[in-house]
Amino acid sequence: MRLVIAKCSVDYVGRLSAHLPPATRLLMVKADGSVSIHADDRAYKPLNWMSPPCKLQEAPGVWKVVNKAGEELRITLEEIFQDTSYELGVDPGLVKDGVEAHLQELLAAHPATFGEGWTLVRREYMTAIGPVDLLCRDAGGGAVAVEIKRRGDIDGVEQLTRYLELMNRDPLLAPVQGVFAAQEIKPQARVLATDRGIRCVVVDYDKLRGMERNELTLF
């Protein structure tokens, strides 16, 4: 993990163009090659980033980060205040509680819970910032990222939003829709999800467990 605090401006050139004027920011370069730019006015979401696979090219006063699609994140450095690297090692990842982990397992076995004709592509589909619980295909073949919680709150919606932003940059997946699934979803989370085009699904854990028991005792 490399952390650089610098006064810089940032330009993103690709399917969309974006510009950040000069300011003091945190630049984060991870071992997977991803590069992200952070400000001090938000908890975790970067101002801009480039997901792997990508290549960082450093020259005096400028970084160029280019992905496989040819999109470029250009960081113009005016002054560097700190440049530090740390070896974090292998992270064990988030360990879900028993109910939440079992809920993910059950929904992976029964993707039709979300709609007729749905199929599972993969559990724990990895992104640059962590795994999304399920990657599915709907009846029309479209990609859908499913985030599963026991209790759905705003943090869960924010988490899924970050996954979708990354996944929709992948031309092999895009467009990717989102489903926020939980045993119960708080009203504020539902409003935020709807505003962001994310579908909310309340799932019945006991009913899904009943499906599992029926399968186990079928023969």
Side-chain angles (χ1 to χ4, degrees):
M1 173 83 71
R2 182 180 177 189
L3 304 174
V4 177
I5 299 176
K7 184 177 181 181
C8 62
S9 59
V10 183
D11 292 278
Y12 191 96
V13 181
R15 286 174 292 175
L16 297 173
S17 295
H19 173 73
L20 294 171
T24 300
R25 300 184 174 98
L26 168 65
L27 311 178
M28 184 181 299
V29 184
K30 293 188 176 181
D32 63 3
S34 63
V35 178
S36 56
I37 300 99
H38 298 261
D40 200 23
D41 64 346
R42 52 186 69 195
Y44 44 77
K45 186 176 180 180
L47 295 166
N48 214 327
W49 68 90
M50 187 69 81
S51 303
C54 59
K55 183 177 181 180
L56 170 61
Q57 303 170 352
E58 295 186 52
V62 63
W63 288 8
K64 293 182 181 179
V65 190
V66 182
N67 67 12
K68 61 182 180 181
E71 296 175 309
E72 180 179 314
L73 186 67
R74 181 175 298 182
I75 305 169
T76 303
L77 303 167
E78 296 186 10
E79 185 176 1
I80 296 176
F81 302 106
Q82 184 173 336
D83 187 344
T84 310
S85 295
Y86 298 92
E87 179 58 53
L88 301 184
V90 178
D91 191 275
L94 179 67
V95 179
K96 294 179 177 288
D97 66 45
V99 172
E100 198 168 293
H102 193 213
L103 192 58
Q104 182 194 114
E105 179 183 337
L106 292 171
L107 289 170
H110 302 283
T113 301
F114 303 114
E116 187 176 349
W118 280 51
T119 57
L120 175 70
V121 176
R122 185 171 178 178
R123 287 179 62 186
E124 301 286 342
Y125 181 85
M126 185 57 65
T127 75
I129 57 173
V132 65
D133 289 329
L134 305 179
L135 176 62
C136 297
R137 294 280 181 184
D138 61 21
V144 187
V146 181
E147 185 62 25
I148 300 165
K149 301 295 182 186
R150 182 168 57 173
R151 296 183 178 87
D153 56 22
I154 285 178
D155 286 345
V157 177
E158 292 283 7
Q159 181 182 5
L160 178 55
T161 299
R162 296 195 299 276
Y163 291 146
L164 289 170
E165 287 177 351
L166 287 173
M167 296 170 77
N168 273 303
R169 291 187 178 188
D170 186 342
L172 299 178
L173 283 178
V176 184
Q177 302 299 315
V179 167
F180 188 52
Q183 288 181 269
E184 59 176 301
I185 299 176
K186 294 183 178 179
Q188 301 94 327
R190 187 180 292 275
V191 169
L192 181 61
T194 301
D195 181 68
R196 295 182 177 179
I198 294 171
R199 176 185 162 207
C200 290
V201 175
V202 176
V203 294
D204 188 329
Y205 178 58
D206 290 332
K207 182 179 179 181
L208 286 168
R209 291 178 66 193
M211 288 181 183
E212 181 188 52
R213 284 195 296 271
N214 289 341
E215 288 182 352
L216 290 175
T217 58
L218 185 59
F219 300 103

